Amino acid sequence: MNYSGVIERYKKYLPVTAKTPIITLKEGNTPLIYAQYLSKMMGKNFQVYLKYEGLNPTGSFKDRGMTVAISKACESRAKAVMCASTGNTSASAAAYAAKAGLKCIVLIPHGEIALGKLSQALIHGATVLAVDANFDAALNLVKEITAKYRLTLVNSLNPYRIEGQKTASFEICDALGNAPDFQVMPVGNAGNITAYWKGYKEYKGHHKINRLPKMLGFQAEGAAPIVKGHPIKNPKTIATAIRIGNPASWKQAERARDESGGLIDMVSDKQILEAYKLLAAKEGIFVEPASAASVAGLLKLVKKGYFKKLRITKIVCILTGHGLKDPDRVIKTVKEPKVVKANLQAILKEIGY
Ligand SMILES: *Cc1c(COP(=O)(O)O)cnc(C)c1O
């Protein structure tokens, strides 16, 4: 198939016209993988699927929104874009801005972003400023600057980001032939849950599906403002992509939860790391810690007896970013390789032959 990215594929549902220059790296079209181990673990009649968004061009779902945001910025003759980022937004903005020939300015919380993501923003030529503040404060600065100067904001407050990101829900429905019963996902700044819910509702409006999923969002325990009902001043979690204390799309996330009859709950870093290891060791999929929050959430709900055994139940977990983004976390989580002598006997002994 001649695939040309999410704008080309879903332009009927997107705010683009023949005049919009399409800036694409052929994002989207990511696999929906049947999760053998998780499905079996949940028992008869349960089917768990993993939407592996880590396979987007820069390694996270942010590319879906960035292709639309950058294309629209070009259409409006912008010269430069700016964002605050826990990492993946900056990686994506830097890559798409490079392709479009736009200047890209990024504010990141100093010392708080995963090395893979920082490397990406740097190599794509963005101006990266590490500010002495957390993500929420950095985003406030970007909002203030982009309101005053001719710089286009490309955080998920930019509605084109949400428009692009909703294409993931279309792909899930196209693959399953309908909406799943449940969708499980991490929640940080809450743009993505907003985008998925918008996408599902629009697809139903177009009669492409005849039901809507329940939206199950998970925050990290140390960064769970929506669950706790108030902003968190110093959010803490190893899942850096969801280390956010005051989500920009807070209200929209609550709406997705309430309209769908779903929930927004939280998982501990320990639960996140268990799911992180399980995904890699049992399903063969390497994700960054924030992504594992979806599967950690699924496991938490299974334990609580949340899912009723009635009929075939389809659950989709969104795996938002690739594990190679944050390789340090692996070394901190699992044992390093054992050093052995370079001789046959020593190796055979170690492997039990
Ligand atoms: C951005 C991001 C999230 C959080 O998405 P929000 O839209 O901010 O809720 C989760 N996981 C990864 C890997 C991300 O890059």
Side-chain angles (χ1 to χ4, degrees), residues 147-197:
K148 269 196 205 141
Y149 298 92
R150 264 192 66 89
L151 280 158
T152 303
L153 173 135
V154 291
N155 280 100
S156 58
L157 287 161
N158 179 327
Y160 298 128
R161 283 274 313 277
I162 305 294
E163 290 298 316
Q165 282 171 212
K166 79 186 179 191
T167 58
S169 64
F170 299 164
E171 289 179 14
I172 291 170
C173 297
D174 290 345
L176 295 178
N178 208 338
D181 298 279
F182 298 94
Q183 175 173 308
V184 197
M185 66 192 303
V187 175
N189 214 23
N192 212 28
I193 191 170
T194 303
Y196 270 96
W197 185 236

Side-chain angles (χ1 to χ4, degrees), residues 122-265:
L122 293 171
I123 197 72
H124 288 303
T127 301
V128 180
L129 302 174
V131 295
D132 217 357
N134 64 23
F135 170 83
D136 304 283
L139 180 58
N140 283 336
L141 286 165
V142 170
K143 282 200 286 197
E144 208 178 313
I145 294 167
T146 53
K148 269 196 205 141
Y149 298 92
R150 264 192 66 89
L151 280 158
T152 303
L153 173 135
V154 291
N155 280 100
S156 58
L157 287 161
N158 179 327
Y160 298 128
R161 283 274 313 277
I162 305 294
E163 290 298 316
Q165 282 171 212
K166 79 186 179 191
T167 58
S169 64
F170 299 164
E171 289 179 14
I172 291 170
C173 297
D174 290 345
L176 295 178
N178 208 338
D181 298 279
F182 298 94
Q183 175 173 308
V184 197
M185 66 192 303
V187 175
N189 214 23
N192 212 28
I193 191 170
T194 303
Y196 270 96
W197 185 236
K198 185 170 197 285
Y200 284 121
K201 286 195 295 186
E202 285 182 15
Y203 238 31
K204 183 150 180 285
H206 283 93
H207 306 288
K208 300 284 280 186
I209 54 176
N210 61 20
R211 62 176 191 215
L212 294 168
K214 288 192 180 356
M215 303 294 285
L216 311 176
F218 284 89
Q219 302 194 293
E221 232 168 59
I226 300 176
V227 180
K228 298 193 169 156
H230 57 81
I232 307 294
K233 236 194 157 80
N234 294 305
K236 285 195 177 62
T237 168
I238 50 113
T240 51
I242 54 172
R243 189 192 282 154
I244 290 172
N246 192 12
S249 301
W250 188 321
K251 286 281 159 300
Q252 293 90 324
E254 288 182 337
R255 211 172 304 142
R257 174 194 68 194
D258 299 340
E259 287 178 7
S260 74
L263 55 80
I264 295 177
D265 196 353

Side-chain angles (χ1 to χ4, degrees), residues 283-338:
E283 299 289 0
I285 300 180
F286 184 28
V287 299
E288 62 167 286
S291 307
S294 61
V295 171
L298 175 74
L299 297 174
K300 179 176 176 181
L301 293 181
V302 169
K303 232 182 226 166
K304 277 182 158 174
Y306 174 83
F307 298 102
K308 307 273 176 289
K309 278 189 201 194
L310 293 170
R311 53 179 175 87
I312 299 287
T313 301
K314 291 185 184 176
I315 303 171
V316 173
C317 295
I318 312 300
L319 304 180
T320 46
H322 202 287
L324 288 172
K325 293 274 191 177
D326 194 0
D328 283 352
R329 183 50 56 190
V330 176
I331 307 305
K332 287 181 191 150
T333 305
V334 298
K335 273 193 285 185
E336 288 198 50
K338 187 160 182 180

Side-chain angles (χ1 to χ4, degrees), residues 31-43 46-52 176 278-279 282-285 295 298-299 313 315-317 319:
L32 185 67
I33 302 167
Y34 181 70
Q36 200 94 32
Y37 181 88
L38 287 168
S39 300
K40 214 174 204 168
M41 183 209 70
M42 291 195 64
F46 284 101
Q47 297 176 356
V48 180
Y49 295 86
L50 306 168
K51 181 69 170 160
Y52 194 14
L176 295 178
L278 181 151
L279 275 167
K282 302 294 185 189
E283 299 289 0
I285 300 180
V295 171
L298 175 74
L299 297 174
T313 301
I315 303 171
V316 173
C317 295
L319 304 180

